[in-house]
Amino acid sequence: MNERNAPSRGLAGLFGRGRGRASGGNADDGSAMLKGRHIIEPGNLSLPELDGLFDLAESIVKDPARYSEVCRGKILATLFFEPSTRTRLSFEAAMLRLGGSTLGFAEPGASSTAKGESLADTIRTVSSYVDVIAMRNPKEGAAHLASQYSSVPVINAGDGGHHHPTQTLTDLLTIRSIKGRFDGLTVGLCGDLKFGRTVHSLAKAMSRYPNVRFVLISPPELEIPDYIIAKVFKPSGVQYTQVRRLEEAIGDLDILYMTRVQKERFFNEQDYVRLKDSYILDAEKMRLARPDLCVLHPLPRVNEIAPEVDADPRAAYFAQVRYGMFARMALIMKLLGIVEGGGKKG
Ligand code: CP
């Protein structure tokens, strides 16, 4: 059986029942130096650190009970200055499933930001109460600023159109779990490649692996920013092509990463309305795709994937949601210097 026909590893493992205790091997592999670090963009993690993180996440997927107390006594703050369902709740679920606790706010109106408090003072305050902070903020660079005032690790949960590193960890863990590798994959990025921060982060992260090819599928107005081409694709030598029609490209792809047109980043409602339905993945287009295509979407979706695709075994976006929680569990453990069994590494 060649790799293309190999059964998907990921979905069964993810949704199946735990298979008893993991082998006892230590999932930590020398990436314990993550303790105390801030995670502002995907490039903050080296490839060995990513491998160690994904090994730990996969170990948690296999035997979550083994990790259910490792963060007892630790507190995560989720500071969300912008709306979120998956990122905030998966961070909170991650900490709770590790035995820790959470506090925070889901919108800035519920904090003293509404009274004019600066981000620096908010972070100084919160970091004196908790062990780790996950923050989303509409301003690009806000997470970096927060890290300069925090006495505990800050995890960027999205800063404007800039970065969303834990979405990238989610995407990479999903790809690794389903495809078993990163190298040699042809990745289609489809939709709003201009404003979609998850696209920028994933493009950067996947460009670090050998022989990855990108197919950039967007209308001219939503093309990937020039700096990604100039500073990411060209220096890494990664191959890329730009096309306008999804039908042209879908048959060549290992991964199709669909994205929502980012209404909140448009200055002009008319442009949004004109572009919002540029691409709609439906059953007809899926018939043109390979049998082992993996369809991802960071979610939320609006119209860009028809609900009829959800039942297709190649649709992995709800599995991806669940991998996000496991990726964040592994990241929290690493940043707190916690190894399995509740021990600690310095
Ligand atoms: N993928 C993602 O960031 O989703 P939320 O905006 O719901 O957190």
Side-chain angles (χ1 to χ4, degrees):
M1 182 178 283
N2 67 28
E3 197 155 10
R4 289 216 179 283
N5 296 328
S8 138
R9 297 196 302 149
L11 301 184
L14 184 60
F15 292 113
R17 294 180 65 79
R19 284 183 284 150
R21 271 189 109 60
S23 65
N26 190 342
D28 196 84
D29 68 340
S31 57
M33 295 311 289
L34 279 173
K35 182 181 178 184
R37 294 243 298 264
H38 304 295
I39 303 298
I40 308 303
E41 59 163 294
N44 294 147
L45 296 163
S46 67
L47 294 184
E49 286 167 346
L50 284 173
D51 282 343
L53 196 91
F54 297 143
D55 288 346
L56 176 57
E58 288 184 348
S59 180
I60 298 170
V61 169
K62 284 185 190 138
D63 188 2
R66 181 175 177 177
Y67 299 89
S68 62
E69 294 292 331
V70 295
C71 283
R72 179 69 56 203
K74 300 291 184 188
I75 303 176
L76 164 78
T78 52
L79 310 184
F80 276 63
F81 296 84
E82 208 182 41
S84 166
T85 297
R86 275 146 294 275
T87 311
R88 185 173 66 84
L89 296 181
S90 68
F91 261 116
E92 295 185 1
M95 192 49 148
L96 295 171
R97 285 180 183 276
L98 293 170
S101 307
T102 68
L103 53 77
F105 50 83
E107 48 108 9
S111 76
S112 285
T113 304
K115 301 176 203 161
E117 185 168 52
S118 68
L119 179 62
D121 285 0
T122 301
I123 294 295
R124 279 192 185 107
T125 302
V126 175
S127 71
S128 68
Y129 302 149
V130 306
D131 301 288
V132 57
I133 294 173
M135 185 187 82
R136 172 172 290 184
N137 194 292
K139 293 194 180 133
E140 295 173 8
H144 176 67
L145 181 80
S147 71
Q148 294 179 314
Y149 292 94
S150 179
S151 55
V152 300
V154 170
I155 306 170
N156 182 7
D159 60 331
H162 201 202
H163 285 298
H164 190 351
T166 61
Q167 182 64 48
T168 308
L169 295 180
T170 299
D171 301 340
L172 293 178
L173 177 62
T174 309
I175 292 169
R176 183 175 117 149
S177 299
I178 291 175
K179 290 290 185 190
R181 70 191 206 280
F182 297 116
D183 50 294
L185 293 176
T186 299
V187 181
L189 303 172
C190 180
D192 184 349
L193 310 189
K194 179 177 181 183
F195 295 117
R197 61 190 169 201
T198 64
V199 167
H200 306 161
S201 293
L202 183 63
K204 270 184 147 175
M206 287 292 289
S207 295
R208 299 163 83 187
Y209 295 97
N211 302 317
V212 169
R213 292 176 296 276
F214 288 101
V215 183
L216 309 172
I217 309 154
S218 77
E221 297 89 338
L222 297 178
E223 280 181 358
I224 207 157
D226 289 343
Y227 84 87
I228 298 280
I229 293 185
K231 297 204 167 148
V232 179
F233 291 167
K234 292 214 164 133
S236 64
V238 77
Q239 288 181 40
Y240 68 94
T241 53
Q242 291 182 294
V243 302
R244 299 287 175 231
R245 294 182 65 242
L246 177 55
E247 295 88 326
E248 262 178 67
I250 194 167
D252 295 327
L253 305 177
D254 298 301
I255 307 287
L256 172 58
Y257 194 86
M258 295 296 295
T259 61
R260 173 178 68 90
V261 175
Q262 305 269 304
K263 180 179 185 183
E264 63 275 30
R265 316 242 180 260
F266 273 74
F267 293 112
N268 175 334
E269 172 84 13
Q270 269 182 330
D271 284 348
Y272 170 71
V273 170
R274 184 167 54 81
L275 294 169
K276 71 185 172 63
D277 293 330
S278 298
Y279 302 99
I280 299 177
L281 181 65
D282 56 15
E284 197 182 329
K285 292 192 188 78
M286 288 296 284
R287 278 195 277 281
L288 304 173
R290 291 178 182 167
D292 64 345
L293 173 70
C294 172
V295 181
L296 301 180
H297 189 310
L299 304 181
R301 72 171 149 184
V302 185
N303 282 330
E304 55 282 352
I305 302 181
E308 66 195 17
V309 178
D310 297 355
D312 190 305
R314 296 168 291 182
Y317 32 90
F318 288 112
Q320 186 183 359
V321 163
R322 195 157 159 77
Y323 279 118
M325 180 180 71
F326 292 112
R328 290 175 177 110
M329 288 170 83
L331 182 63
I332 290 168
M333 285 181 64
K334 293 281 186 186
L335 298 185
L336 293 179
I338 293 169
V339 296
E340 57 191 284
K344 292 187 176 189
K345 267 192 177 180

